[in-house]
Amino acid sequence: MKAWLFLLTLGLAGALAAPVELKINLRVGDQPLQFGQTYQTPQGQRYQIELLRFYISEVALVRPDGREVRADGLVLAEFKREAPTQGVSVIKMDVPAGQYRGIRFNVGVPRELNHLDAGTQQMPLGVNSGMYWAWNPGYIFYRLEGVALLPEGKQKWIIHMGTDAFRIPVRLQDLQTRRVQINIPPAGGSITLNLDVARAFQPGPGGAFVDWRKQSLRQLHGLSPETSLLMSVVYFNMQTAFSLAN
């Protein structure tokens, strides 16, 4: 896994700031994801995961009174074969020690960065990031790829989610109860999230699902009318794919 740090700075400066790592466990349901292992969708289609890359931006920890400690910038997290999938550090930041009631962030590139001249941008942005489409749609925010094990053999499939309309908001916070508590001691610590990759394959309204038996749905990017509706289903499912692991 590689994570490129870009302009990651503390939005609320503090002399007592503590170092914090944001870590991610990849899951398929409640099981750790393993590249090369065969899984099955709710519709019975077998598949393997080969690659996962996504941007994280606009990270903020939420205090009990609702105020936020923000970390500006973005990172590009990359997971692939022969690399760890559990407890992988994707962001390092400094925040004031204390109690928090959650964390929020977006999966994607902020609009003000999404349409700049990619030829002048540094990693993790730029035309060499492997995540760039073109000026109008901008960057691929969430890139998931694998193979489907169909009766005719292995077939490559991709899910490339992007455009400003598909920036995924993740909100793991609760100000009304003490159900969500994150304690950052003065010495610092870590926050670990689970990402259920298989959530993308859950059916949507009317039972719509990613059906790899249809060749047109093996390249799901949402830029064409044929795939935009199903991409909306994946987008909706991915909003609840992250959860706090500790």
Side-chain angles (χ1 to χ4, degrees):
M1 201 292 298
K2 294 180 180 178
W4 288 273
L5 303 182
F6 177 67
L7 296 176
L8 190 62
T9 57
L10 181 64
L12 180 62
L16 300 179
V20 174
E21 280 186 285
L22 182 63
K23 299 181 178 181
I24 290 182
N25 299 326
L26 297 186
R27 302 283 179 169
V28 173
D30 59 359
Q31 300 298 314
L33 182 149
Q34 295 185 32
F35 288 105
Q37 181 167 321
T38 299
Y39 299 101
Q40 186 166 294
T41 69
Q43 297 76 32
Q45 296 190 20
R46 297 187 302 144
Y47 67 96
Q48 297 173 350
I49 301 292
E50 294 187 332
L51 173 70
L52 172 61
R53 308 178 80 185
F54 56 91
Y55 286 105
I56 295 179
S57 62
E58 300 166 282
V59 178
L61 293 182
V62 183
R63 291 186 178 277
D65 61 5
R67 290 182 300 155
E68 296 182 344
V69 176
R70 301 178 183 177
D72 298 326
L74 79 163
V75 297
L76 175 59
E78 178 179 357
F79 301 84
K80 55 186 178 182
R81 296 177 72 98
E82 314 300 334
T85 63
Q86 305 301 302
V88 177
S89 177
V90 295
I91 297 176
K92 294 180 180 178
M93 53 189 174
D94 293 324
V95 303
Q99 294 287 332
Y100 296 87
R101 291 291 175 80
I103 183 173
R104 69 161 181 80
F105 56 90
N106 292 327
V107 174
V109 176
R111 182 181 179 85
E112 61 269 23
L113 297 176
N114 197 31
H115 305 290
L116 297 177
D117 181 357
T120 65
Q121 302 304 302
Q122 303 296 317
M123 291 289 284
L125 300 175
V127 294
N128 296 321
S129 63
M131 300 290 280
Y132 185 67
W133 271 327
W135 175 82
N136 190 21
Y139 292 86
I140 302 169
F141 298 160
Y142 187 85
R143 176 179 171 181
L144 179 64
E145 300 180 359
V147 295
L149 308 180
L150 300 175
E152 63 267 35
K154 288 187 176 181
Q155 297 292 329
K156 176 83 175 181
W157 57 263
I158 65 172
I159 294 176
H160 290 180
M161 182 180 297
T163 75
D164 295 325
F166 287 118
R167 188 178 303 110
I168 305 170
V170 179
R171 305 292 183 262
L172 305 175
Q173 61 191 61
D174 186 347
L175 298 178
Q176 304 302 318
T177 71
R178 299 179 66 83
R179 182 175 58 85
V180 178
Q181 297 189 65
I182 298 174
N183 178 41
I184 303 298
S190 63
I191 301 170
T192 303
L193 307 179
N194 290 331
L195 168 55
D196 182 3
V197 177
R199 192 66 66 90
F201 310 128
Q202 292 295 315
F209 66 96
V210 181
D211 187 350
W212 295 309
R213 293 171 300 181
K214 301 177 181 178
Q215 187 172 1
S216 61
L217 297 183
R218 294 175 195 160
Q219 296 189 23
L220 193 64
H221 48 67
L223 297 179
S224 71
E226 187 175 10
T227 62
S228 60
L229 178 60
L230 193 52
M231 182 59 85
S232 297
V233 172
V234 176
Y235 172 77
F236 178 80
N237 289 335
M238 292 307 299
Q239 293 184 45
T240 56
F242 288 87
S243 62
L244 284 165
N246 58 0

